[in-house]
Amino acid sequence: NSKLRHVEKDVLIPQIMRDRAKELCSDKVQAFTRCCQETGFLMVVKCRQENTALKDCLVGYYSDPAFYEECKAEYLKQREEYRATGIKKKRQKVTSNV
């Protein structure tokens, strides 16, 4: 059964999208983080370029229908495994120095 509940469409699948987009944009996440650490208080002004690059990367994924379908398929696979085994699988996160 691949019907999705409201919470799945609006919360769970978008969470997978955010996690995967952060992984796929990790170079930009790291550049922004590094800039903020080096700049401190003036980061709003000095890290504008890194922030824009990060936002553009993330929004590019969030607005891609093919990426949504990929994440939806991943969610449905996880849901199916959970229903079959009763064991919730944790997504592996890419560790970063954030």
Side-chain angles (χ1 to χ4, degrees):
N1 180 8
S2 63
K3 276 196 74 86
L4 294 171
R5 294 174 298 150
H6 166 73
V7 71
E8 292 172 318
K9 279 191 278 191
D10 296 344
V11 178
L12 301 175
I13 294 171
Q15 182 60 53
I16 290 174
M17 291 177 75
R18 280 191 298 277
D19 291 347
R20 288 204 50 218
K22 281 182 195 169
E23 291 168 13
L24 294 166
C25 298
S26 65
D27 57 331
K28 289 162 185 64
V29 171
Q30 289 173 2
F32 179 66
T33 301
R34 196 168 37 250
C35 181
C36 290
Q37 289 170 341
E38 292 168 1
T39 310
F41 183 69
L42 296 172
M43 69 182 162
V44 174
V45 176
K46 301 242 180 179
C47 300
R48 196 171 288 152
Q49 187 177 343
E50 290 83 352
N51 188 29
T52 299
L54 175 56
K55 278 187 194 171
D56 289 348
C57 184
L58 294 172
V59 169
Y61 283 110
Y62 298 157
S63 59
D64 180 356
F67 185 67
Y68 174 83
E69 290 302 322
E70 237 178 81
C71 293
K72 177 178 158 185
E74 181 180 331
Y75 171 77
L76 290 172
K77 184 177 174 216
Q78 289 174 5
R79 185 177 78 173
E80 188 178 318
E81 287 173 10
Y82 174 73
R83 287 179 176 176
T85 64
I87 299 168
K88 187 172 185 170
K89 185 179 176 193
K90 292 268 184 198
R91 277 193 99 261
Q92 278 200 329
K93 294 200 178 206
V94 174
T95 56
S96 69
N97 56 355
V98 177

